[in-house]
Amino acid sequence: MIEFQRIQKNYHLSGQKAYEALKGVHGIINRGETVVLLGPSGSGKSSLLNICSLLDNSYKGRVIIDGEAITKTPEFSVGIRREKIGLIYPGFSLVAAYTVFENIEFPLILNHVPDEIRRARVSDMILKLNLEKYEEFKPDQLPVELKRRVVVARAFINRPAVVIADEPVADLESSDALSLIDSINQIGKETGSAVLIATCDAELTLGCDRIIHLHDGNIVEHVPLASVHRSKISEALPWGI
Ligand SMILES: Nc1ncnc2c1ncn2[C@@H]1O[C@H](COP(=O)(O)OP(=O)(O)OP(=O)(O)O)[C@@H](O)[C@H]1O
């Protein structure tokens, strides 16, 4: 579970008034729930994700992960992030010298998971993302779509409390994008992670549980999707698509 409370984020540009990117936003994402943070470019999505990922500790407000309030010290953040957070960010940040298997295994090594359990978990995740044929490949040998799948596998391998994804499928074709979002949603339910996905593409909300709609640094509303039919998504959103 992740909760963010009264989050305010200002950017200070020299010689100018502080720019308010987030204006006191609240939200909660429960374990096993996939929530899409939807908003146009510049609405504050990345700013909020960086705070929830504990990559940015210069903000007002509070982040709570699995009931624990996050202390804003870098040392504390590194430990919590390693143990409780999986990241799917636009840069792949895969280790070029490692194989697909080793890249996915890496978070388990950092968390001291015993060898046998590690291997079993990685093999299982590789099956889930249809990466069996590429286990021994290095990232540079893979097309973008497969690299994206490896990044997703690595994010969930440690069964984290929270998975944060910033535009996880931005450079993929529509059918690949929908299929990978579907995998993120399903694996999140299996690992019991709270999943927060930022995108400006409302089509990608299909199959997710809820939309948090962000506009100009404010949360406009929360839209539960269980009862909204695909063709009605645009009507359910005040700013349309
Ligand atoms: N480091 C920074 N310094 C100054 N202003 C910033 C900085 N980062 C973001 N901003 C501004 O804060 C606002 C919110 O940016 P943010 O990147 O969080 O939005 P976003 O919804 O993720 O947009 P995009 O989808 O284009 O990345 C924007 O107006 C942006 O220009």
Side-chain angles (χ1 to χ4, degrees), residues 24-65:
V25 294
H26 305 257
I28 181 163
I29 298 126
N30 291 307
R31 277 181 168 267
E33 192 184 25
T34 302
V35 171
V36 176
L37 183 63
L38 186 66
S41 180
S43 55
K45 303 183 296 298
S46 299
S47 301
L48 183 56
L49 291 199
N50 288 339
I51 290 167
C52 290
S53 309
L54 318 185
L55 294 170
D56 179 3
N57 63 5
S58 133
Y59 61 92
K60 284 194 189 144
R62 206 151 71 131
V63 175
I64 299 168
I65 294 181

CSV table of all heavy atoms in Angstrom, one decimal, residues 24-65:
chain,number,residue,atom,x,y,z
A,24,GLY,N,-0.7,20.1,-3.2
A,24,GLY,CA,-1.3,19.5,-2.0
A,24,GLY,C,-2.2,18.3,-2.4
A,24,GLY,O,-3.4,18.3,-2.1
A,25,VAL,N,-1.6,17.3,-3.1
A,25,VAL,CA,-2.4,16.2,-3.6
A,25,VAL,C,-2.4,15.0,-2.6
A,25,VAL,O,-1.4,14.7,-1.9
A,25,VAL,CB,-2.0,15.7,-5.0
A,25,VAL,CG1,-2.3,16.8,-6.0
A,25,VAL,CG2,-0.5,15.3,-5.0
A,26,HIS,N,-3.6,14.3,-2.5
A,26,HIS,CA,-3.7,13.1,-1.7
A,26,HIS,C,-4.1,11.9,-2.5
A,26,HIS,O,-4.8,12.0,-3.5
A,26,HIS,CB,-4.9,13.2,-0.8
A,26,HIS,CG,-5.0,14.4,0.1
A,26,HIS,ND1,-4.7,14.3,1.4
A,26,HIS,CD2,-5.4,15.6,-0.2
A,26,HIS,CE1,-4.9,15.5,1.9
A,26,HIS,NE2,-5.3,16.3,1.0
A,27,GLY,N,-3.7,10.7,-2.1
A,27,GLY,CA,-4.2,9.5,-2.8
A,27,GLY,C,-3.7,8.3,-2.0
A,27,GLY,O,-2.8,8.3,-1.2
A,28,ILE,N,-4.4,7.2,-2.3
A,28,ILE,CA,-4.0,5.9,-1.7
A,28,ILE,C,-4.2,4.8,-2.7
A,28,ILE,O,-5.1,4.8,-3.5
A,28,ILE,CB,-4.8,5.6,-0.4
A,28,ILE,CG1,-4.4,4.3,0.3
A,28,ILE,CG2,-6.3,5.6,-0.6
A,28,ILE,CD1,-4.8,4.2,1.8
A,29,ILE,N,-3.2,3.9,-2.8
A,29,ILE,CA,-3.3,2.8,-3.7
A,29,ILE,C,-3.1,1.5,-2.8
A,29,ILE,O,-2.0,1.4,-2.1
A,29,ILE,CB,-2.3,2.9,-4.8
A,29,ILE,CG1,-2.5,4.1,-5.6
A,29,ILE,CG2,-2.3,1.6,-5.7
A,29,ILE,CD1,-1.4,5.0,-5.8
A,30,ASN,N,-4.0,0.6,-2.8
A,30,ASN,CA,-3.9,-0.6,-2.0
A,30,ASN,C,-3.2,-1.7,-2.7
A,30,ASN,O,-3.0,-1.7,-3.9
A,30,ASN,CB,-5.3,-1.0,-1.6
A,30,ASN,CG,-6.0,-0.1,-0.7
A,30,ASN,OD1,-5.5,0.3,0.3
A,30,ASN,ND2,-7.2,0.4,-1.1
A,31,ARG,N,-2.7,-2.6,-1.9
A,31,ARG,CA,-2.0,-3.8,-2.5
A,31,ARG,C,-2.9,-4.5,-3.4
A,31,ARG,O,-4.1,-4.7,-3.1
A,31,ARG,CB,-1.5,-4.7,-1.4
A,31,ARG,CG,-0.2,-4.2,-0.8
A,31,ARG,CD,0.3,-5.2,0.3
A,31,ARG,NE,1.7,-5.0,0.7
A,31,ARG,CZ,2.7,-5.7,0.1
A,31,ARG,NH1,2.5,-6.5,-0.8
A,31,ARG,NH2,3.9,-5.4,0.6
A,32,GLY,N,-2.4,-4.9,-4.6
A,32,GLY,CA,-3.2,-5.6,-5.6
A,32,GLY,C,-4.1,-4.7,-6.5
A,32,GLY,O,-4.8,-5.2,-7.3
A,33,GLU,N,-4.0,-3.4,-6.3
A,33,GLU,CA,-4.7,-2.5,-7.1
A,33,GLU,C,-3.8,-1.8,-8.1
A,33,GLU,O,-2.7,-1.4,-7.8
A,33,GLU,CB,-5.3,-1.4,-6.1
A,33,GLU,CG,-6.4,-0.5,-6.7
A,33,GLU,CD,-6.9,0.6,-5.8
A,33,GLU,OE1,-6.2,1.0,-4.9
A,33,GLU,OE2,-8.0,1.0,-6.0
A,34,THR,N,-4.4,-1.6,-9.3
A,34,THR,CA,-3.6,-0.9,-10.4
A,34,THR,C,-4.3,0.4,-10.6
A,34,THR,O,-5.5,0.4,-11.1
A,34,THR,CB,-3.5,-1.7,-11.7
A,34,THR,OG1,-2.9,-2.9,-11.4
A,34,THR,CG2,-2.7,-1.0,-12.7
A,35,VAL,N,-3.6,1.5,-10.4
A,35,VAL,CA,-4.2,2.8,-10.5
A,35,VAL,C,-3.4,3.6,-11.6
A,35,VAL,O,-2.2,3.6,-11.6
A,35,VAL,CB,-4.2,3.6,-9.2
A,35,VAL,CG1,-4.6,5.1,-9.4
A,35,VAL,CG2,-5.1,2.9,-8.2
A,36,VAL,N,-4.1,4.2,-12.5
A,36,VAL,CA,-3.5,5.0,-13.6
A,36,VAL,C,-3.5,6.5,-13.2
A,36,VAL,O,-4.6,7.0,-12.8
A,36,VAL,CB,-4.2,4.8,-14.9
A,36,VAL,CG1,-3.5,5.7,-16.0
A,36,VAL,CG2,-4.0,3.4,-15.4
A,37,LEU,N,-2.3,7.1,-13.2
A,37,LEU,CA,-2.3,8.6,-12.9
A,37,LEU,C,-2.3,9.2,-14.3
A,37,LEU,O,-1.3,9.1,-15.1
A,37,LEU,CB,-0.9,8.9,-12.2
A,37,LEU,CG,-0.7,10.3,-11.8
A,37,LEU,CD1,-1.7,10.8,-10.8
A,37,LEU,CD2,0.7,10.4,-11.2
A,38,LEU,N,-3.4,9.8,-14.6
A,38,LEU,CA,-3.7,10.3,-16.0
A,38,LEU,C,-3.7,11.8,-16.0
A,38,LEU,O,-4.4,12.4,-15.2
A,38,LEU,CB,-5.0,9.7,-16.4
A,38,LEU,CG,-5.4,9.9,-17.9
A,38,LEU,CD1,-4.5,9.2,-18.8
A,38,LEU,CD2,-6.8,9.4,-18.1
A,39,GLY,N,-3.0,12.4,-16.9
A,39,GLY,CA,-3.1,13.8,-17.1
A,39,GLY,C,-2.2,14.3,-18.2
A,39,GLY,O,-1.3,13.6,-18.7
A,40,PRO,N,-2.5,15.4,-18.8
A,40,PRO,CA,-1.7,15.9,-19.9
A,40,PRO,C,-0.3,16.2,-19.5
A,40,PRO,O,0.0,16.3,-18.3
A,40,PRO,CB,-2.5,17.2,-20.3
A,40,PRO,CG,-3.3,17.6,-19.1
A,40,PRO,CD,-3.5,16.4,-18.3
A,41,SER,N,0.5,16.4,-20.5
A,41,SER,CA,1.9,16.8,-20.3
A,41,SER,C,2.0,18.0,-19.4
A,41,SER,O,1.3,19.0,-19.6
A,41,SER,CB,2.6,17.0,-21.6
A,41,SER,OG,3.9,17.3,-21.4
A,42,GLY,N,2.9,18.0,-18.4
A,42,GLY,CA,3.1,19.1,-17.5
A,42,GLY,C,2.1,19.2,-16.4
A,42,GLY,O,2.2,20.1,-15.5
A,43,SER,N,1.2,18.2,-16.2
A,43,SER,CA,0.3,18.2,-15.1
A,43,SER,C,0.9,17.9,-13.8
A,43,SER,O,0.2,18.1,-12.7
A,43,SER,CB,-0.9,17.3,-15.4
A,43,SER,OG,-0.5,16.0,-15.7
A,44,GLY,N,2.1,17.3,-13.8
A,44,GLY,CA,2.8,17.0,-12.5
A,44,GLY,C,2.9,15.5,-12.2
A,44,GLY,O,3.3,15.1,-11.1
A,45,LYS,N,2.7,14.6,-13.2
A,45,LYS,CA,2.7,13.2,-13.0
A,45,LYS,C,4.1,12.7,-12.6
A,45,LYS,O,4.3,12.0,-11.6
A,45,LYS,CB,2.3,12.4,-14.3
A,45,LYS,CG,1.0,12.8,-14.9
A,45,LYS,CD,0.6,12.0,-16.1
A,45,LYS,CE,1.5,12.2,-17.3
A,45,LYS,NZ,1.5,13.6,-17.9
A,46,SER,N,5.1,13.1,-13.4
A,46,SER,CA,6.5,12.7,-13.0
A,46,SER,C,6.9,13.2,-11.7
A,46,SER,O,7.6,12.5,-10.9
A,46,SER,CB,7.5,13.1,-14.1
A,46,SER,OG,7.1,12.5,-15.3
A,47,SER,N,6.6,14.4,-11.4
A,47,SER,CA,6.9,15.0,-10.1
A,47,SER,C,6.3,14.2,-9.0
A,47,SER,O,7.0,13.8,-8.0
A,47,SER,CB,6.4,16.5,-10.0
A,47,SER,OG,6.9,17.3,-11.0
A,48,LEU,N,5.1,13.7,-9.1
A,48,LEU,CA,4.5,12.9,-8.1
A,48,LEU,C,5.1,11.5,-8.0
A,48,LEU,O,5.4,11.0,-6.9
A,48,LEU,CB,2.9,12.8,-8.3
A,48,LEU,CG,2.1,12.0,-7.3
A,48,LEU,CD1,2.3,12.6,-5.9
A,48,LEU,CD2,0.7,12.0,-7.6
A,49,LEU,N,5.4,10.9,-9.2
A,49,LEU,CA,6.0,9.6,-9.2
A,49,LEU,C,7.4,9.6,-8.5
A,49,LEU,O,7.8,8.7,-7.8
A,49,LEU,CB,6.1,9.1,-10.6
A,49,LEU,CG,4.9,8.7,-11.3
A,49,LEU,CD1,5.2,7.7,-12.5
A,49,LEU,CD2,3.8,8.0,-10.4
A,50,ASN,N,8.2,10.7,-8.8
A,50,ASN,CA,9.5,10.8,-8.2
A,50,ASN,C,9.4,10.8,-6.7
A,50,ASN,O,10.3,10.3,-6.0
A,50,ASN,CB,10.3,12.0,-8.8
A,50,ASN,CG,10.7,11.8,-10.2
A,50,ASN,OD1,10.7,10.6,-10.7
A,50,ASN,ND2,10.9,12.8,-11.0
A,51,ILE,N,8.4,11.5,-6.2
A,51,ILE,CA,8.2,11.6,-4.8
A,51,ILE,C,7.8,10.2,-4.2
A,51,ILE,O,8.4,9.7,-3.2
A,51,ILE,CB,7.2,12.7,-4.4
A,51,ILE,CG1,7.8,14.1,-4.7
A,51,ILE,CG2,6.7,12.6,-3.0
A,51,ILE,CD1,6.9,15.2,-4.8
A,52,CYS,N,6.8,9.6,-4.9
A,52,CYS,CA,6.3,8.3,-4.4
A,52,CYS,C,7.4,7.2,-4.5
A,52,CYS,O,7.5,6.2,-3.7
A,52,CYS,CB,5.1,7.8,-5.2
A,52,CYS,SG,3.7,8.8,-4.8
A,53,SER,N,8.4,7.4,-5.5
A,53,SER,CA,9.5,6.4,-5.7
A,53,SER,C,10.6,6.7,-4.7
A,53,SER,O,11.6,6.0,-4.7
A,53,SER,CB,10.1,6.5,-7.0
A,53,SER,OG,9.1,6.5,-8.0
A,54,LEU,N,10.5,7.7,-3.9
A,54,LEU,CA,11.5,8.2,-3.0
A,54,LEU,C,12.8,8.6,-3.7
A,54,LEU,O,13.9,8.5,-3.2
A,54,LEU,CB,11.9,7.1,-1.9
A,54,LEU,CG,10.7,6.4,-1.3
A,54,LEU,CD1,11.1,5.4,-0.2
A,54,LEU,CD2,9.6,7.3,-0.8
A,55,LEU,N,12.7,9.0,-5.0
A,55,LEU,CA,13.8,9.6,-5.7
A,55,LEU,C,14.0,11.1,-5.4
A,55,LEU,O,15.0,11.6,-5.6
A,55,LEU,CB,13.6,9.3,-7.2
A,55,LEU,CG,13.6,7.9,-7.6
A,55,LEU,CD1,13.1,7.7,-9.1
A,55,LEU,CD2,15.0,7.2,-7.5
A,56,ASP,N,12.9,11.7,-5.0
A,56,ASP,CA,12.9,13.1,-4.7
A,56,ASP,C,12.4,13.3,-3.3
A,56,ASP,O,11.3,12.8,-2.9
A,56,ASP,CB,12.0,13.9,-5.7
A,56,ASP,CG,11.9,15.4,-5.4
A,56,ASP,OD1,12.6,15.8,-4.5
A,56,ASP,OD2,11.1,16.0,-6.1
A,57,ASN,N,13.3,13.9,-2.4
A,57,ASN,CA,12.8,14.0,-1.0
A,57,ASN,C,12.6,15.5,-0.7
A,57,ASN,O,12.6,15.9,0.5
A,57,ASN,CB,13.7,13.3,0.0
A,57,ASN,CG,15.1,13.9,0.0
A,57,ASN,OD1,15.4,14.9,-0.7
A,57,ASN,ND2,16.0,13.3,0.7
A,58,SER,N,12.6,16.4,-1.7
A,58,SER,CA,12.4,17.8,-1.4
A,58,SER,C,10.9,18.2,-1.8
A,58,SER,O,10.6,18.6,-2.9
A,58,SER,CB,13.4,18.6,-2.2
A,58,SER,OG,12.9,19.6,-2.9
A,59,TYR,N,10.1,18.0,-0.8
A,59,TYR,CA,8.6,18.3,-1.0
A,59,TYR,C,8.0,18.5,0.3
A,59,TYR,O,8.6,18.1,1.4
A,59,TYR,CB,7.9,17.1,-1.7
A,59,TYR,CG,8.0,15.8,-1.0
A,59,TYR,CD1,7.0,15.4,-0.1
A,59,TYR,CD2,9.1,14.9,-1.1
A,59,TYR,CE1,7.1,14.2,0.6
A,59,TYR,CE2,9.2,13.7,-0.5
A,59,TYR,CZ,8.2,13.4,0.4
A,59,TYR,OH,8.2,12.2,1.1
A,60,LYS,N,6.8,19.0,0.3
A,60,LYS,CA,6.0,19.1,1.6
A,60,LYS,C,4.9,18.0,1.5
A,60,LYS,O,4.4,17.7,0.5
A,60,LYS,CB,5.3,20.4,1.7
A,60,LYS,CG,6.3,21.5,2.1
A,60,LYS,CD,5.5,22.8,2.5
A,60,LYS,CE,6.4,23.9,2.7
A,60,LYS,NZ,5.9,25.2,2.2
A,61,GLY,N,4.6,17.4,2.7
A,61,GLY,CA,3.6,16.4,2.8
A,61,GLY,C,4.2,15.1,3.2
A,61,GLY,O,5.4,15.1,3.7
A,62,ARG,N,3.5,14.0,3.1
A,62,ARG,CA,3.9,12.7,3.7
A,62,ARG,C,3.7,11.6,2.7
A,62,ARG,O,2.6,11.5,2.1
A,62,ARG,CB,3.2,12.5,5.0
A,62,ARG,CG,3.9,11.6,6.0
A,62,ARG,CD,3.5,12.0,7.4
A,62,ARG,NE,2.1,11.6,7.6
A,62,ARG,CZ,1.8,10.9,8.7
A,62,ARG,NH1,2.7,10.6,9.6
A,62,ARG,NH2,0.5,10.5,8.9
A,63,VAL,N,4.6,10.6,2.6
A,63,VAL,CA,4.4,9.4,1.9
A,63,VAL,C,4.5,8.3,2.9
A,63,VAL,O,5.3,8.2,3.8
A,63,VAL,CB,5.5,9.2,0.8
A,63,VAL,CG1,5.4,7.8,0.2
A,63,VAL,CG2,5.5,10.3,-0.2
A,64,ILE,N,3.5,7.4,2.8
A,64,ILE,CA,3.4,6.2,3.7
A,64,ILE,C,3.4,4.9,2.9
A,64,ILE,O,2.6,4.8,1.9
A,64,ILE,CB,2.1,6.3,4.6
A,64,ILE,CG1,2.1,7.6,5.4
A,64,ILE,CG2,1.9,5.1,5.5
A,64,ILE,CD1,0.8,7.9,6.0
A,65,ILE,N,4.3,4.0,3.2
A,65,ILE,CA,4.3,2.8,2.5
A,65,ILE,C,4.1,1.6,3.5
A,65,ILE,O,4.8,1.5,4.5
A,65,ILE,CB,5.7,2.6,1.8
A,65,ILE,CG1,5.8,3.7,0.7
A,65,ILE,CG2,5.8,1.2,1.1
A,65,ILE,CD1,7.1,3.6,-0.1
